[in-house]
Amino acid sequence: MDGSYRSNNQFPENIGFSDPNDAQIIDGGYDENGNEVYYDASDQDQNRTDILKLVLYDLNSAIAPREIRLMAIHAALEEFDHDDEVLHDEELDLRADHILLQKLTYAMCIDPGSTEVGYICSAMESVYRAGRTRLAQSFHEICDALLPLFVEMIRPP
């Protein structure tokens, strides 16, 4: 998607080199010059967390114009669209559910039938692929605000 941090290389992959005892060998273990390459997996986890924080910050900050909101929602959709429960738990820990609820409430006030509402609901569905315990905690935190929005969505015009 055009608003993606990954596709625009605004947040490049960070491969860290470290002591061979603390890392795992990847890509056959050698770079293009024949040197042994070590990869520290904690760098990848930190990189993903940094990307996620940036995506959520942009999503939370995007208010107007509509195109900026849509770009932030598309970036979030791309980041959230995976099937790793642990990563979805992390997204919920960083309050992605609260940010998406805020965006959904705003979008429903402006135009309840808009594609923006659909995109936000898709992002919520992605985030809610988390583990059952974290999902229950999230729903408990925001259900009082979320349920009326869902009822409004399914109510006939």
Side-chain angles (χ1 to χ4, degrees):
M1 298 191 174
D2 290 338
S4 168
Y5 295 98
R6 292 183 193 277
S7 63
N8 289 333
N9 292 325
Q10 291 178 344
F11 213 98
E13 290 296 320
N14 179 19
I15 297 179
F17 298 94
S18 63
D19 181 6
N21 297 326
D22 296 334
Q24 301 169 341
I25 298 176
I26 60 165
D27 292 334
Y30 300 95
D31 66 9
E32 61 278 355
N33 297 324
N35 299 322
E36 204 164 14
V37 177
Y38 298 94
Y39 173 70
D40 187 350
S42 66
D43 286 343
Q44 183 180 7
D45 292 342
Q46 184 59 45
N47 186 39
R48 200 281 173 169
T49 300
D50 291 343
I51 290 172
L52 183 57
K53 286 179 181 179
L54 186 60
V55 167
L56 290 173
Y57 176 81
D58 285 350
L59 182 62
N60 194 40
S61 302
I63 299 170
R66 182 175 186 266
E67 292 75 27
I68 299 295
R69 285 195 314 273
L70 288 174
M71 196 167 87
I73 293 166
H74 281 282
L77 273 168
E78 185 172 302
E79 190 61 35
F80 300 155
D81 190 21
H82 56 81
D83 293 317
D84 188 330
E85 277 188 14
V86 174
L87 296 180
H88 287 304
D89 287 351
E90 179 185 12
E91 293 158 7
L92 291 174
D93 289 342
L94 292 172
R95 303 179 64 84
D97 52 343
H98 292 258
I99 295 168
L100 289 167
L101 173 64
Q102 176 190 28
K103 293 297 159 192
L104 182 60
T105 304
Y106 184 73
M108 289 286 292
C109 289
I110 294 173
D111 183 5
S114 70
T115 56
E116 183 176 1
V117 170
Y119 290 143
I120 295 167
C121 288
S122 293
M124 286 193 100
E125 180 276 326
S126 293
V127 168
Y128 276 163
R129 294 177 199 160
R132 296 178 84 182
T133 303
R134 189 58 186 92
L135 180 60
Q137 180 185 352
S138 168
F139 192 74
H140 180 72
E141 291 171 1
I142 66 172
C143 70
D144 291 340
L146 189 60
L147 284 178
L149 290 174
F150 286 164
V151 169
E152 184 64 30
M153 280 186 226
I154 61 174
R155 182 173 288 156

